[in-house]
Amino acid sequence: MSLLDLRDLSVSLHGTPLLSEVNLTLNQGEIFGLVGESGSGKSLTALALMGLLPEGATGTGSARFDGQDLLALKEPALCQIRGKRIAMIFQEPMTALNPLMTIGDQVAETLRVHGRVSRAEARATARARLDRVGLSAPRFPLSLYPHELSGGQRQRVAIALAIALRPALLIADEPTTALDVTTQAQILDLLRGLVEEERMSLLLITHDLAVIANLAGRTAVMKSGRIVEQGPTETLFRNRTHPYTRALFAASTHQPAPGPRRGTLRGEYLHQKETEPASFWQKYSPPTAPDSRPPAPENTLLTVTHAERSYRLPRPSAFAAHPLLRAVDDVSFSIFAGESLGLVGESGCGKSTLTRAILGLETLQGGAITLNGAPVSRAMPAPLRAQVQVVFQDPYGSFNPRHRIDRLIAEPFHLTGLPADWPERVAEALREVGLSPDDRHKYIHEFSGGQRQRIAIARALIIRPALIVLDEAVSALDVRVRAQVLDLLAQLRESHDLAYLFISHDLSVVRAITSRVLVMQAGKIVEEGASEDVFAAPRHPYTATLVAATPQIPPDWMAARLEGETHAT
Amino acid sequence: MRPALALGAVLSATALAAALVSLIWTPYDITTLTIAQKLQPPSAAHWFGTDHFGRDIAAMLMTGARTSLSVALVAVGIGAGLGVPLGLTAAARRDNWLDELIMRGNDLVFAFPSLVIAILITAVFGPSALNAIIAIGIFNIPVFARVTRAGALSLWTLDYIRAAQVAGKGAARISVEHILPNIANLLIVQGTIQFSLGILAEAGLSYVGLGAQPPTPSWGRMLAEAQTMVTLAPHVALFPGLAIVATVLGLNLLGDGLRDALDPRLRRRG
C-alpha cells in the first residue's frame, strides 16, 4: 500500500481554483520529484497535505496518508502528525531557524513537543540527529546559535529538526535553491542517504530538472495547479510527451543565440504573458555555438590591475588584533569592448566586493581599475560613470516602489542630463526589451519577475553604456523566463555592441552566455579561459569541484528527442 | 473613498474648526466666572455642562483646542523638522563619525527625563505655552531621528539605492528622492503617536503650572483640574478626555489613510 495517496486534490481561494485534481501516490522509501515553475502549485500541494493552507483557502478531494484522510482531520489530530509523521524542510535556511535558540534546543524542542521525554534524553537524541546530518561534536556543540553557522550548515540543522522523530514522509521544498553548488551537492547526498537508511519517503519540490534527474525515482510536472505529466523520472525525461515538459527541458538547456534578430526586437510589441508557452515557442531558437569572437586586446574597455580590498573583522578576543578578511586579493583581468565575460564563484568569494569596485561604489586599498584609460573611483566624473550600468539579481528590490516606470528607467539620465526627448527614449528602451511603451505610466508592482528584469535592462540601456554588469541577473527567474531574458541579452549585445560582465554561481548559464570566464575563490581569480574550455576541461581543482558538483541531466536522456524538438519549433 | 480616511478627516477637521471658530466666536465668554452656575450637568443652555467656576465647557473646549493643537502640532513639527534630516544624515553616513556624533547626541537628549528638562526650560525662560512647545519639541527630535535612521538603514541595503548610486546620485539626493518617500509611512505613524503624547505632555506641564497660563485653557489642564471633582461631576473630566481621544483617533485614522493613499501598491488600480 502506498504511504501517501492524493486523489483529486483541489484547492481554491475565495472561489479561484489554485490546484485542480492533483493525483499522485508516494510509496515508502521512495523519492518523488515535483517539478514546475513558480506559481505552478507545487508548494501549495505540500501545504495542503500538511493542513497549512492560507486563510480562506479550502481543499477538496482526499489526501490519504497511512490510511487517514489528512483533509478530514481536525487541527489537534493534524498536530500529532505534523513534525512527527510528516516533516518539512524549507528553502530559506536563514529564516527557518529561531535566531534566539541554540541549535540543540531547537532540535530537542521538537522531540519534547511530540513525546514525553526528559530534557536530558531529548538533548541526547538531538546530539545523535545532528551527528547524523554531519554536524558532529565537538566542532558543532549543541550550544551554537544559528548565526554562528553557514547557510549549508543551517540547512543541515533544519534537516536534523525535520528527521528528529524519524517521520515517514519528508517534504523538502526547494531545499537547496538558496545554497551554493558544492553545498547543494552535499545536502542532496545527505537527503539521499537519509531516505535509504531510514526508509523515509521524500517529496522533493524543486524547479531544477537536473536535481530531480539525479535524485527522484518518479516525477510529476506541474503547471498552473495541475499535474500535466508524471511517471518514472528516466522515462519522463526521455520521452517528454507533454509539450509543456518539452518546453521546460528546452529552456533549461537553452543556448541564447544572437542570430538573426526577431521581429519583437525590431520595434514590434509582443503582448504575451510570460508564462504562456506561445511566447516561448516563438522566441526559442535552436542551440548554436555561443559567440566565439576572439578578444581583441587593442579594444580593452576595463582593466583591473592588482585590485585589493580587505575588511576588518571583529576582534576574536579583547586584546587580539583585528583579523583581516581579504575579500579581493590581488585580482587582475580585462574586459574587451563587445565581450561577454563571466565571473563565477560561490557566495563569500569576493565577487560582490569586486562588482562594487567596478561600479565605482567601493574604494580599493591597492591596485587600480581603469575604464577606457580613466581611473574608476567613487569620485569618478559623470561621463565616465555613464559608461557602466548594472542589472541586479532581485527583481523585487531593484526598483523604488513609489516611482512610475518612466521615472525609474530615466534615472541614469542623471549622469548625462535629462534630454528633451526623454519620454521617447524611455518608450524606445521599453520596446527594445520587449515591453509596451504604454507601460511607462505603471508602477513596478504591476509587473512579473521576468518583466521587472526587462525593465532593469531597459534602465541600464537607456544611456547607452559600453559595459553592463549583470549581477546574478537571471538567477531568480524561472527557466523559461530565464531563457527569454538570456535571448534578449544576447540580442541586445549584438545590436548595441555592449560588453557584459556576467556574474553568476550558475555554471550552465555562464557557459551559455559568455565567451570567456573567470573563476574566483576566496578573493583570488584561480582560473581564466574560454568558457567552453574551462567547463569542459577545468585545470584548477576548485573549478573541477564546481563542475563536478553542478547537477546535470544525463546527456543520453536528453539526446533521444532533441531532433523532434527542433522540428517542433 | 476609504471610510477610515473619511472618518479621520472629519474628526481632525472638527478639532481644527473648533480651534479656528473660537478665535471669533464662542458660545459663552470663558473669562466670566459665574460661580452660581458651577458644575451644572449638560443641558440645553450648556451642552457640555459647566466647570467649577461656572464656565461653559463647550466654550472652554473650543478655546482649549487652540492651545492643545498648536502645542502638539508645532512640537511634532520641531521634532520631525530637525529629527528627520538628522536621521537621514546619520543613515547616509553610517559607520562614520558623523553618524556616531548625531546618534550619541540623541542619546544625550534621550537620557534626561523630559519633564524635568521641560521644567528647567520653563523655569529659566518663564512659564508660557511657547516655552512648553519648545521643550516638548526638543524631546521629539531624538524620537524622529531614531525612527528615520532605522528605517533608512534597511533601505540603504536595497538594490534600487545601489542603482541610484550607479546613476551618479549623491547621498543627499538619494535620501530625499528614494529614502524619504519610502519611510513616510513610519514617520506618519510616529507623528500621530508624538502628537497625542504632545497633548498629554502639555497637560502635564500645565498641571504643574508651567504650560499655558490661566485663563488660557488647554484640554490637558481642564482634565487635570477636573481630577478632584470626578466623582462629583464626571462630565467636567469626560468632555476634555473625549476631545483628546477623538482628535488623536482622528489623526491616527488620517495618518493611516494617508499612508495607504500615498503607497501605489495599496492604491486601487484606476
Side-chain angles (χ1 to χ4, degrees):
Chain A
M1 200 187 85
S2 53
L3 178 71
L4 180 70
D5 188 3
L6 302 187
R7 286 277 161 81
D8 294 331
L9 175 67
S10 302
V11 171
S12 61
L13 182 67
H14 305 303
T16 318
L18 299 176
L19 279 186
S20 314
E21 294 156 21
V22 171
N23 286 295
L24 61 85
T25 56
L26 192 60
N27 299 319
Q28 198 175 0
E30 181 187 35
I31 303 183
F32 191 93
L34 198 53
V35 70
E37 295 179 295
S38 45
S40 63
K42 47 193 200 306
S43 296
L44 199 65
T45 307
L47 293 179
L49 63 95
M50 293 280 277
L52 294 173
L53 284 175
E55 196 91 1
T58 46
T60 56
S62 75
R64 299 196 83 78
F65 171 76
D66 233 4
Q68 279 176 300
D69 187 359
L70 294 173
L71 293 186
L73 285 183
K74 294 264 179 292
E75 183 66 20
L78 275 173
C79 284
Q80 281 306 307
I81 291 178
R82 257 186 240 141
K84 190 174 182 184
R85 307 276 295 131
I86 306 179
M88 198 157 176
I89 308 166
F90 299 93
Q91 171 175 352
E92 192 47 77
M94 299 297 166
T95 52
L97 300 174
N98 181 344
L100 295 179
M101 273 173 87
T102 65
I103 59 172
D105 284 345
Q106 297 195 41
V107 179
E109 185 191 34
T110 326
L111 296 164
R112 286 171 61 81
V113 165
H114 282 285
R116 284 163 209 271
V117 289
S118 72
R119 199 176 142 76
E121 277 175 87
R123 288 183 72 85
T125 316
R127 181 70 269 166
R129 302 271 82 184
L130 284 169
D131 288 346
R132 175 62 193 90
V133 298
L135 300 177
S136 49
R139 230 203 108 202
F140 298 100
L142 295 179
S143 56
L144 285 180
Y145 284 93
H147 74 265
E148 297 173 283
L149 301 172
S150 71
Q153 289 163 351
R154 282 182 227 197
Q155 197 62 309
R156 285 173 191 271
V157 175
I159 294 173
L161 263 171
I163 62 162
L165 288 156
R166 302 176 191 272
L169 172 63
L170 185 60
I171 301 173
D173 190 355
E174 302 273 7
T176 57
T177 307
L179 305 175
D180 284 321
V181 276
T182 49
T183 320
Q184 161 168 301
Q186 294 162 6
I187 296 288
L188 293 178
D189 273 345
L190 171 63
L191 287 175
R192 188 189 290 121
L194 284 171
V195 169
E196 278 168 17
E197 271 173 43
E198 318 242 338
R199 295 282 300 150
M200 242 182 256
S201 304
L202 176 65
L203 179 62
L204 179 66
I205 299 172
T206 181
H207 68 282
D208 192 332
L209 293 168
V211 167
I212 291 276
N214 290 326
L215 221 58
R218 287 190 305 133
T219 297
V221 180
M222 282 195 90
K223 178 181 188 286
S224 317
R226 288 174 189 277
I227 290 184
V228 297
E229 191 174 0
Q230 64 176 313
T233 308
E234 188 174 343
T235 323
L236 186 124
F237 275 42
R238 279 184 189 275
N239 293 340
R240 279 161 269 157
T241 324
H242 195 277
Y244 178 75
T245 316
R246 281 206 294 278
L248 270 187
F249 272 81
S252 67
T253 54
H254 181 66
Q255 295 276 343
R261 271 170 233 149
R262 304 279 161 138
T264 52
L265 287 166
R266 291 271 91 188
E268 261 177 68
Y269 171 47
L270 180 70
H271 194 94
Q272 277 166 327
K273 283 248 173 73
E274 294 191 294
T275 44
E276 283 169 11
S279 68
F280 170 72
W281 291 109
Q282 278 186 17
K283 300 195 74 195
Y284 172 68
S285 47
T288 46
D291 183 21
S292 50
R293 258 191 299 180
E298 67 273 16
N299 291 333
T300 305
L301 181 65
L302 181 106
T303 314
V304 179
T305 39
H306 304 296
E308 270 180 45
R309 181 77 174 90
S310 321
Y311 293 104
R312 263 160 44 126
L313 298 176
R315 297 171 198 269
S317 64
F319 297 103
H322 288 279
L324 280 185
L325 171 75
R326 294 186 173 276
V328 178
D329 191 359
D330 194 18
V331 166
S332 300
F333 66 91
S334 303
I335 303 176
F336 306 105
E339 184 194 26
S340 178
L341 177 69
L343 177 61
V344 175
E346 298 189 287
S347 49
C349 76
K351 53 188 199 303
S352 303
T353 308
L354 185 60
T355 313
R356 280 206 304 276
I358 290 172
L359 293 171
L361 303 178
E362 182 95 39
T363 311
L364 289 176
Q365 288 155 333
I369 300 175
T370 57
L371 180 64
N372 279 333
V376 168
S377 72
R378 288 176 69 153
M380 65 179 166
L384 187 64
R385 202 176 267 280
Q387 294 185 35
V388 188
Q389 283 298 301
V390 64
V391 176
F392 295 108
Q393 168 177 6
D394 179 11
Y396 297 91
S398 294
F399 301 96
N400 185 339
R402 288 170 190 265
H403 291 176
R404 291 178 195 274
I405 299 302
D406 51 359
R407 190 169 172 196
L408 291 172
I409 292 184
E411 183 159 49
F413 278 134
H414 183 73
L415 290 164
T416 59
L418 198 63
D421 65 338
W422 74 272
E424 287 84 60
R425 299 272 293 272
V426 168
E428 192 199 332
L430 279 169
R431 265 196 301 271
E432 280 176 333
V433 297
L435 295 170
S436 161
D438 297 333
D439 288 339
R440 66 182 185 274
H441 300 305
K442 294 185 181 165
Y443 286 99
I444 196 68
H445 67 269
E446 300 173 50
F447 294 91
S448 71
Q451 288 170 328
R452 288 178 198 212
Q453 281 315 64
R454 286 167 189 267
I455 293 167
I457 295 168
R459 173 169 67 186
L461 275 179
I462 192 133
I463 51 169
R464 300 279 176 257
L467 172 66
I468 296 186
V469 177
L470 299 157
D471 189 355
E472 302 272 8
V474 297
S475 303
L477 305 177
D478 279 325
V479 278
R480 290 186 307 150
V481 179
R482 171 188 302 180
Q484 290 167 17
V485 172
L486 287 177
D487 274 347
L488 174 70
L489 286 171
Q491 285 155 357
L492 288 172
R493 187 164 74 85
E494 192 81 352
S495 56
H496 291 72
D497 203 24
L498 290 166
Y500 288 156
L501 175 59
F502 195 93
I503 298 158
S504 183
H505 67 281
D506 187 333
L507 301 191
S508 59
V509 171
V510 171
R511 191 173 183 169
I513 196 165
T514 64
S515 51
R516 202 159 60 92
V517 69
L518 309 168
V519 181
M520 197 166 177
Q521 183 199 16
K524 289 181 189 297
I525 305 278
V526 296
E527 185 160 356
E528 178 180 354
S531 305
E532 276 305 310
D533 303 345
V534 169
F535 295 131
R539 293 189 307 274
H540 193 274
Y542 177 70
T543 319
T545 317
L546 279 186
V547 173
T550 306
Q552 278 180 337
I553 304 172
D556 59 312
W557 289 16
M558 293 300 293
R561 275 186 61 107
L562 260 185
E563 263 179 49
E565 273 166 9
T566 319
H567 283 300
T569 59
Chain B
M1 188 72 180
R2 292 152 204 280
L5 180 61
L7 182 63
V10 167
L11 287 175
S12 312
T14 309
L16 191 67
L20 291 179
V21 169
S22 76
L23 289 171
I24 47 170
W25 176 83
T26 49
Y28 293 88
D29 182 9
I30 57 156
T31 52
T32 319
L33 310 184
T34 339
I35 304 296
Q37 301 275 320
K38 73 174 180 179
L39 295 180
Q40 291 205 344
S43 64
H46 299 283
W47 285 8
F48 292 167
T50 57
D51 72 355
H52 56 297
F53 290 130
R55 293 175 296 185
D56 180 58
I57 288 182
M60 293 275 286
L61 281 179
M62 285 173 70
T63 321
R66 236 152 59 195
T67 323
S68 292
L69 289 185
S70 56
V71 168
L73 271 181
V74 177
V76 168
I78 292 173
L82 292 172
V84 171
L86 282 174
L88 287 174
T89 312
R93 294 277 170 267
R94 61 210 169 280
D95 302 330
N96 178 299
W97 60 268
L98 194 57
D99 179 23
E100 284 296 316
L101 188 74
I102 291 172
M103 294 324 287
R104 296 302 79 79
N106 274 324
D107 290 347
L108 198 69
V109 178
F110 223 57
F112 285 101
S114 53
L115 209 59
V116 173
I117 297 299
I119 290 170
L120 187 71
I121 290 176
T122 43
V124 172
F125 298 103
S128 73
L130 181 69
N131 287 337
I133 289 174
I134 293 170
I136 299 166
I138 287 174
F139 288 102
N140 278 338
I141 295 173
V143 175
F144 279 99
R146 282 182 177 186
V147 169
T148 306
R149 179 174 177 272
L153 277 184
S154 63
L155 290 181
W156 270 101
T157 62
L158 291 182
D159 280 344
Y160 66 81
I161 303 298
R162 273 209 284 161
Q165 288 177 302
V166 172
K169 289 185 175 167
R173 176 122 194 204
I174 290 174
S175 293
V176 173
E177 223 179 86
H178 291 297
I179 307 272
L180 195 55
N182 283 296
I183 56 168
N185 52 356
L186 286 179
L187 296 178
I188 288 172
V189 172
Q190 194 63 45
T192 49
I193 294 172
Q194 292 310 117
F195 182 88
S196 32
L197 289 178
I199 291 181
L200 298 178
E202 192 276 334
L205 284 181
S206 298
Y207 184 67
V208 292
L210 296 170
Q213 293 303 297
T216 316
S218 84
W219 293 347
R221 219 186 54 236
M222 289 170 71
L223 204 55
E225 285 174 355
Q227 254 185 20
T228 48
M229 297 169 281
V230 165
T231 46
L232 201 61
H235 67 275
V236 183
L238 186 68
F239 290 110
L242 279 180
I244 294 176
V245 168
T247 310
V248 169
L249 179 70
L251 278 162
N252 273 308
L253 290 175
L254 189 67
D256 282 359
L258 281 179
R259 181 193 65 195
D260 294 352
L262 288 175
D263 192 331
R265 283 163 297 187
L266 300 173
R267 215 180 285 162
R268 280 211 199 102
R269 298 202 184 167

